[in-house]
Amino acid sequence: MSENLKEDLPTVIKELEKKCKEHPKSVMAFHHLGLVYMKAGRIDEAIQMLDRAIEIDDQSIESMINLGAIYFGQGNLDKAQEMNEKALGVNNESAQAYANLGLIWQQRNDLEKAIASYEKAIQNDPKLASAWMNLTSVLTMKGYDDRAVAAATKGLELEPDSPLGHNNLAVALYFSERFSEAKVHADKAQELGYSVDPNFVSRLQEKLAQ
């Protein structure tokens, strides 16, 4: 697709709609049209196209995962979970599906299941930085401080310029009482444009002043 997709959106949509009409059994045509509808904010149509892709090919994992992402964004956790579990039914090693389930369990406040899902994602794809970063936040919430620091460190190894990664590591280090190191990463997160919680910054400054 065009690098200037945002500017070309109407053209791309028109071309893909034509392709879907000409090739009504093309999974990729419906899948891509669904993704472009997502970018255009045409969510109901995106759902219809991704549903159609899955009807054509009930092994279309990418369509299932993207459809799950739409439902998650709408706050429909049941449907989001259903789609990601369906993807795992096709391929039980899908790291992205496990990572998405981690987010769903986290939203449901079932943190142990969230941890298990993120760890399964990492087991299947150790380079999935987002899974490491999300795992960090849940480990911190559970008070697993050393594990949180290790997970955050790994996430930053994979994405050294991630604002979220630096923020997560700062928080994990804070709870591990490594306050000087925490400040380094909090400052870096702010430098990279992350809105670090002012209350966290204040608490960190108090600890450094003691």
Side-chain angles (χ1 to χ4, degrees), residues 59-75:
Q59 307 291 298
S60 181
I61 292 176
E62 287 189 8
S63 296
M64 296 170 191
I65 287 174
N66 280 295
L67 190 50
I70 291 176
Y71 286 129
F72 183 83
Q74 291 180 325

Side-chain angles (χ1 to χ4, degrees), residues 7-20:
E7 293 139 11
D8 295 342
L9 220 45
T11 302
V12 173
I13 287 173
K14 190 173 181 179
E15 290 173 353
L16 285 171
E17 287 175 340
K18 181 181 178 184
K19 185 176 288 187
C20 288

Side-chain angles (χ1 to χ4, degrees), residues 142-171:
K142 289 292 292 183
Y144 302 149
D145 300 329
D146 291 341
R147 289 170 63 189
V149 170
T153 301
K154 182 62 179 180
L156 273 181
E157 286 175 8
L158 295 167
E159 290 189 7
D161 293 325
S162 167
L164 175 62
H166 282 284
N167 179 77
N168 285 357
L169 182 52
V171 174

Side-chain angles (χ1 to χ4, degrees), residues 39-70:
K39 289 180 182 292
R42 294 166 63 173
I43 302 303
D44 288 343
E45 290 163 292
I47 291 172
Q48 290 174 7
M49 293 305 104
L50 292 171
D51 269 333
R52 178 60 184 147
I54 296 166
E55 285 176 13
I56 297 168
D57 180 6
D58 62 5
Q59 307 291 298
S60 181
I61 292 176
E62 287 189 8
S63 296
M64 296 170 191
I65 287 174
N66 280 295
L67 190 50
I70 291 176

Side-chain angles (χ1 to χ4, degrees), residues 130-143:
S130 61
W132 287 104
M133 292 176 192
N134 290 327
L135 175 60
T136 300
S137 63
V138 181
L139 290 172
T140 300
M141 284 187 258
K142 289 292 292 183

Side-chain angles (χ1 to χ4, degrees), residues 6-210:
K6 190 170 183 180
E7 293 139 11
D8 295 342
L9 220 45
T11 302
V12 173
I13 287 173
K14 190 173 181 179
E15 290 173 353
L16 285 171
E17 287 175 340
K18 181 181 178 184
K19 185 176 288 187
C20 288
K21 287 180 181 177
E22 293 174 348
H23 305 281
K25 296 292 186 182
S26 172
V27 176
M28 294 309 295
F30 283 95
H31 176 79
H32 286 150
L33 180 54
L35 297 185
V36 176
Y37 277 150
M38 282 175 63
K39 289 180 182 292
R42 294 166 63 173
I43 302 303
D44 288 343
E45 290 163 292
I47 291 172
Q48 290 174 7
M49 293 305 104
L50 292 171
D51 269 333
R52 178 60 184 147
I54 296 166
E55 285 176 13
I56 297 168
D57 180 6
D58 62 5
Q59 307 291 298
S60 181
I61 292 176
E62 287 189 8
S63 296
M64 296 170 191
I65 287 174
N66 280 295
L67 190 50
I70 291 176
Y71 286 129
F72 183 83
Q74 291 180 325
N76 191 339
L77 299 184
D78 289 340
K79 289 293 289 183
Q81 182 173 342
E82 177 188 330
M83 296 314 303
N84 283 287
E85 288 178 345
K86 191 171 184 177
L88 288 172
V90 177
N91 177 9
N92 66 2
E93 295 183 353
S94 171
Q96 191 60 60
Y98 279 117
N100 292 346
L101 283 174
L103 284 170
I104 292 164
W105 290 120
Q106 193 171 340
Q107 282 290 101
R108 295 186 189 280
N109 205 34
D110 193 330
L111 301 186
E112 289 296 344
K113 283 187 178 179
I115 289 170
S117 294
Y118 290 136
E119 289 181 337
K120 194 72 174 177
I122 289 162
Q123 177 184 328
N124 287 295
D125 183 3
K127 293 184 178 180
L128 188 59
S130 61
W132 287 104
M133 292 176 192
N134 290 327
L135 175 60
T136 300
S137 63
V138 181
L139 290 172
T140 300
M141 284 187 258
K142 289 292 292 183
Y144 302 149
D145 300 329
D146 291 341
R147 289 170 63 189
V149 170
T153 301
K154 182 62 179 180
L156 273 181
E157 286 175 8
L158 295 167
E159 290 189 7
D161 293 325
S162 167
L164 175 62
H166 282 284
N167 179 77
N168 285 357
L169 182 52
V171 174
L173 288 165
Y174 174 90
F175 286 108
S176 293
E177 299 187 352
R178 294 161 62 178
F179 303 121
S180 296
E181 293 171 81
K183 186 176 187 308
V184 170
H185 289 283
D187 289 347
K188 185 64 175 178
Q190 289 179 316
E191 179 187 322
L192 291 168
Y194 191 88
S195 297
V196 178
D197 183 351
N199 293 326
F200 172 71
V201 173
S202 295
R203 293 197 304 270
L204 181 55
Q205 289 172 339
E206 288 173 7
K207 292 292 185 181
L208 290 168
Q210 290 177 2

